[in-house]
Amino acid sequence: MDKLNDSSFIKFIERLDYLTKYNLKYTCKKIKKRIEDLKLDTILDLRNTKYPNDNNTVYKILLKHKDFLTKVILEFKDINNTHVNRFTNKLTYINLNYCQKIDNDALIHISNNCPNLEHLELYIIPNLDDKGLKEIIMKCPKLVHLNLSGCSHFSEESLLLLPKYLPKIEFIDLTRNYGLTDKCLEEITTGCVELKYLNLYALPKLKMDFLNNIKCSKLEFLDMCGNQNVTDEHFKKAAEVLNNMKQLNLSWCTSLTDNTVKYLFDGDKNSNLELISLHGILGITDKSVEILKNNKGILKNLNTIDLVACSNVKQRDNSYIKSIFNHVECFQVFF
């Protein structure tokens, strides 16, 4: 193991469950030092790990090691607030995705005890609402990554605080946040100008007028799959600002046409594009493929394109697309 370079050593350690890694740390002084130097003992990742008496074991780990953990991933663990109450100010990264037994009190504990928090994942947790989220937004000023996917009980009452308290936030996932309003979204996309990632998947009621005033010039990822209100005119205006797009999902945005592709990608615009999904848009034709093909940067960078159910694109079989975009390996992102 001494002969492994740092990269290989890290990969090896990351494959171990936490207790095995912890025990290994004390089998050899050289291994212990290397783990500590690379800060591999500060990460508690319990995904795909099952212990006997799992909840109690997780609690004991958090209790014993809480003072040096900086990253905690408890995704899909059957934990509750008592586990979260062991979190300390050392933490910068917390993943509680699908931990469905926690509630607002857990978020309030995090907001009061984790001021250095930068990354927070809260995918599908039904017991959370504005009471807890407001505390997080107001008291975690270093937060740059916030995943609220599937948390349908948040409303504009808390989300409108984002531009005021977290203007430098870079990542927001609002998938299926049905409390989101167009007014709120406009406030976010004009006030949070450092945004690089914005996920609006499965929000079909939004009118998408925020695109007319969007200020997020650093945006690299935009997903508005399923929205039938977004139009070419929205993107005509937005294209003046969106110059750094790398991933764009417009699946089932059925009001769009080739004009949107033209506004965003004609010439050398958004030449760093890596992924685009136009799945199910009948207004897309072979003209869109030509526009993408004529962008030299896209020819070099594009690795994923989804034209499934775009029946007005006459030449869209995989072999033909591959012959144009040599680096494309994936032909469907929407299922």
Side-chain angles (χ1 to χ4, degrees):
M1 192 176 297
D2 289 343
K3 295 180 180 179
L4 293 177
N5 60 33
D6 284 350
S7 178
S8 298
F9 183 79
I10 290 171
K11 289 179 180 178
F12 170 75
I13 294 297
E14 287 179 342
R15 290 182 178 181
L16 305 176
D17 70 78
Y18 187 79
L19 289 183
T20 301
K21 178 174 68 176
Y22 184 77
N23 291 332
L24 181 64
K25 178 180 173 181
Y26 291 98
T27 62
C28 170
K29 289 184 178 180
K30 288 184 178 180
I31 293 177
K32 180 178 186 293
K33 185 178 187 309
R34 199 166 185 189
I35 287 176
E36 290 176 347
D37 287 347
L38 293 170
K39 298 183 178 180
L40 299 178
D41 58 344
T42 68
I43 302 171
L44 175 61
D45 186 351
L46 296 183
R47 287 174 294 187
N48 304 317
T49 302
K50 186 72 177 176
Y51 299 117
N53 196 10
D54 196 44
N55 273 9
N56 190 44
T57 302
V58 173
Y59 183 85
K60 288 180 177 178
I61 291 173
L62 288 168
L63 186 63
K64 186 173 182 179
H65 304 162
K66 60 186 175 66
D67 291 331
F68 57 82
L69 289 174
T70 63
K71 183 175 182 178
V72 172
I73 302 175
L74 300 175
E75 183 172 300
F76 286 89
K77 284 293 177 183
D78 189 29
I79 64 161
N80 54 49
N81 288 0
T82 60
H83 296 82
V84 175
N85 287 342
R86 304 279 72 80
F87 290 0
T88 73
N89 62 0
K90 299 284 187 181
L91 287 175
T92 62
Y93 185 116
I94 298 172
N95 182 337
L96 298 173
N97 285 341
Y98 211 76
C99 296
Q100 298 199 323
K101 290 184 179 178
I102 69 168
D103 58 28
N104 287 320
D105 288 341
L107 294 192
I108 291 171
H109 173 84
I110 292 171
S111 69
N112 289 329
N113 293 276
C114 305
N116 297 307
L117 186 63
E118 299 173 1
H119 185 123
L120 180 61
E121 304 268 354
L122 299 172
Y123 167 80
I124 305 185
I125 306 178
N127 298 320
L128 302 181
D129 59 32
D130 290 322
K131 180 182 177 182
L133 183 59
K134 285 194 293 185
E135 295 295 310
I136 290 289
I137 293 173
M138 291 189 292
K139 296 181 180 178
C140 297
K142 296 181 180 181
L143 197 65
V144 293
H145 181 118
L146 182 60
N147 181 3
L148 304 176
S149 176
C151 295
S152 58
H153 299 296
F154 296 136
S155 73
E156 65 176 6
E157 182 181 349
S158 55
L159 296 173
L160 279 170
L161 297 175
L162 286 168
K164 179 178 179 180
Y165 290 95
L166 297 173
K168 295 184 179 180
I169 194 167
E170 298 177 2
F171 181 112
I172 303 177
D173 191 335
L174 297 169
T175 297
R176 293 190 174 88
N177 269 248
Y178 301 118
L180 185 66
T181 66
D182 284 277
K183 174 188 173 184
C184 180
L185 195 54
E186 181 166 345
E187 292 288 327
I188 291 172
T189 55
T190 55
C192 301
V193 295
E194 300 295 316
L195 268 182
K196 294 181 180 179
Y197 181 109
L198 180 61
N199 198 330
L200 305 174
Y201 181 97
L203 295 171
K205 295 181 181 179
L206 286 177
K207 295 179 180 178
M208 295 298 174
D209 290 336
F210 78 93
L211 287 170
N212 295 324
N213 299 304
I214 192 169
K215 304 296 183 186
C216 309
S217 61
K218 297 181 181 180
L219 200 66
E220 297 177 355
F221 177 103
L222 178 61
D223 188 332
M224 50 182 60
C225 175
N227 190 287
Q228 299 181 20
N229 296 318
V230 64
T231 67
D232 294 332
E233 288 303 308
H234 287 126
F235 277 108
K236 183 177 182 179
K237 187 67 175 177
E240 297 174 6
V241 177
L242 301 179
N243 298 306
N244 290 292
M245 295 303 304
K246 291 184 178 179
Q247 298 189 28
L248 179 64
N249 185 4
L250 299 176
S251 301
W252 299 116
C253 294
T254 55
S255 297
L256 300 179
T257 73
D258 293 323
N259 285 330
T260 286
V261 177
K262 179 181 179 180
Y263 297 145
L264 288 171
F265 305 110
D266 195 28
D268 61 354
K269 295 178 183 176
N270 288 298
S271 58
N272 291 321
L273 186 71
E274 299 171 356
L275 176 153
I276 184 168
S277 178
L278 303 168
H279 189 120
I281 305 178
L282 298 182
I284 297 298
T285 71
D286 295 277
K287 183 178 178 180
S288 288
V289 177
E290 287 296 312
I291 292 168
L292 295 173
K293 182 179 73 172
N294 290 329
N295 187 314
K296 293 181 180 179
I298 291 177
L299 273 179
K300 181 176 67 174
N301 294 305
L302 191 68
N303 57 57
T304 302
I305 182 168
D306 190 340
L307 296 170
V308 174
C310 296
S311 57
N312 289 314
V313 179
K314 302 306 180 185
Q315 299 188 69
R316 56 187 169 90
D317 62 275
N318 293 357
S319 59
Y320 175 74
I321 295 299
K322 178 69 175 176
S323 71
I324 298 173
F325 305 100
N326 297 328
H327 299 286
V328 168
E329 298 294 339
C330 180
F331 299 92
Q332 186 171 0
V333 293
F334 182 88
F335 298 94

